[in-house]
Amino acid sequence: AVANLTSILSESLRLGDVIAHLGDAVRPILDFDGLGVSVLGATGRELERIGFLGQPSNAMKIPIDDSSILPRLREGTVVLVRDAERELERQLTVDRQVIEGGIRPVLMAPLVLGEQMVGGLYLGKKRPHWYDESDVEIVKAIAGSLVLAVPPQRLAEEPLDPAAYPGVDPA
């Protein structure tokens, strides 16, 4: 299923448009109650959700510094939380939202292009201790394929700057 991600993602320039296909490909490997994809915001201080399966489904900005786990993701580390109720910090807004949403284990992988974290892949489950170290390797492979969709995502959202491409007709 991981090998098929490239063909799934090539179906659309907008990653949010293919999130259901991504979920279908990932679910047999890493079952989830929530799957989300986010890109790093312009300031580098928030993640912008561009696709989500499960609840909530709305687009939103997620402040990195208002979480105990997102700073690790920004540093390029895969994050495994086996039981959010015991491991996350309820006083932090993002952590509290995860706990109140009923999610227990969390598995997050950075989307890394070169040396830079450009986004993240999130999986959450309501049953505690669902994910383990073997799942970390799998989510790394998925994120490695998924990151290839981030540059097209940015191109689809942002207008082309003709000055950046001299001699190229933007039409």
Side-chain angles (χ1 to χ4, degrees):
V2 173
N4 292 332
L5 283 177
T6 303
S7 64
I8 290 168
L9 296 174
S10 67
E11 292 176 13
S12 172
L13 278 179
R14 294 189 186 276
L15 185 56
D17 294 345
V18 297
I19 194 75
H21 295 296
L22 177 65
D24 290 343
V26 170
R27 191 177 301 275
I29 306 165
L30 298 169
D31 192 24
F32 57 85
D33 292 316
L35 178 142
V37 178
S38 301
V39 294
L40 190 63
T43 67
R45 296 173 53 202
E46 74 277 336
L47 289 170
E48 298 174 10
R49 182 183 296 154
I50 58 173
F52 198 87
L53 290 176
Q55 294 294 327
S57 60
N58 58 330
M60 64 184 294
K61 293 189 179 195
I62 306 161
I64 293 172
D65 292 331
D66 203 5
S67 167
S68 64
I69 57 178
L70 293 180
R72 291 185 276 163
L73 185 74
R74 181 174 49 197
E75 293 169 3
T77 304
V78 174
V79 177
L80 171 61
V81 174
R82 295 174 194 274
D83 189 348
E85 285 186 6
R86 294 180 181 196
E87 297 176 47
L88 298 187
E89 298 177 27
R90 196 174 281 276
Q91 72 273 17
L92 297 172
T93 304
V94 176
D95 289 16
R96 186 173 52 254
Q97 289 172 342
V98 170
I99 295 166
E100 289 174 357
I103 295 298
R104 301 289 295 274
V106 174
L107 184 57
M108 298 183 75
L111 303 180
V112 179
L113 269 178
E115 301 287 321
Q116 182 180 6
M117 190 281 277
V118 296
L121 170 64
Y122 159 89
L123 292 118
K125 189 79 177 159
K126 294 186 185 260
R127 183 176 171 193
H129 304 281
W130 186 259
Y131 302 121
D132 61 27
E133 293 299 325
S134 65
D135 297 321
V136 168
E137 295 305 315
I138 296 169
V139 79
K140 280 183 189 178
I142 294 168
S145 293
L146 186 60
V147 72
L148 301 175
V150 173
Q153 169 72 23
R154 290 290 191 198
L155 288 173
E157 291 175 347
E158 299 173 7
L160 182 64
D161 178 6
Y165 302 93
V168 176
D169 181 6

